[in-house]
Amino acid sequence: MDKPTGRQIAAARTLVGMTQPELAELSKISVPTVKRMEGSDGQAVGMANNVEAVCRALEAAGVEFIPENGGGAGVRLRKA
């Protein structure tokens, strides 16, 4: 997937009921880094490895990132 947007990360985290500190701990990054990513206009701001770590943590929690495909980027819960 392309780099997610800050809003996708925030929406994904909220969708699985995770706090910013919980996501930071699972991703092994700082809370301010998570806040910066989520506050980004457009693609998430941050080092590529940090953004990937956040995406992996959210995907492990059951989130699917939906790429921009003409209908807009988004997130959803993966089917069980």
Side-chain angles (χ1 to χ4, degrees):
M1 118 152 235
D2 291 332
K3 200 172 186 183
T5 66
R7 287 185 179 178
Q8 277 180 292
I9 291 172
R13 181 181 56 74
T14 302
L15 192 59
V16 296
M18 196 179 292
T19 65
Q20 287 179 333
E22 289 169 336
L23 179 56
E25 183 176 334
L26 289 171
S27 305
K28 299 187 179 9
I29 62 174
S30 70
V31 173
T33 298
V34 171
K35 289 182 182 206
R36 221 175 3 262
M37 281 183 199
E38 289 187 358
S40 305
D41 284 332
Q43 287 190 331
V45 172
M47 294 174 53
N49 61 321
N50 288 343
V51 175
E52 289 170 17
V54 165
C55 289
R56 280 194 306 272
L58 290 166
E59 287 167 345
V63 169
E64 282 185 4
F65 287 90
I66 304 166
E68 170 62 56
N69 60 5
V75 293
R76 66 178 167 218
L77 290 176
R78 187 173 47 245
K79 280 189 173 181

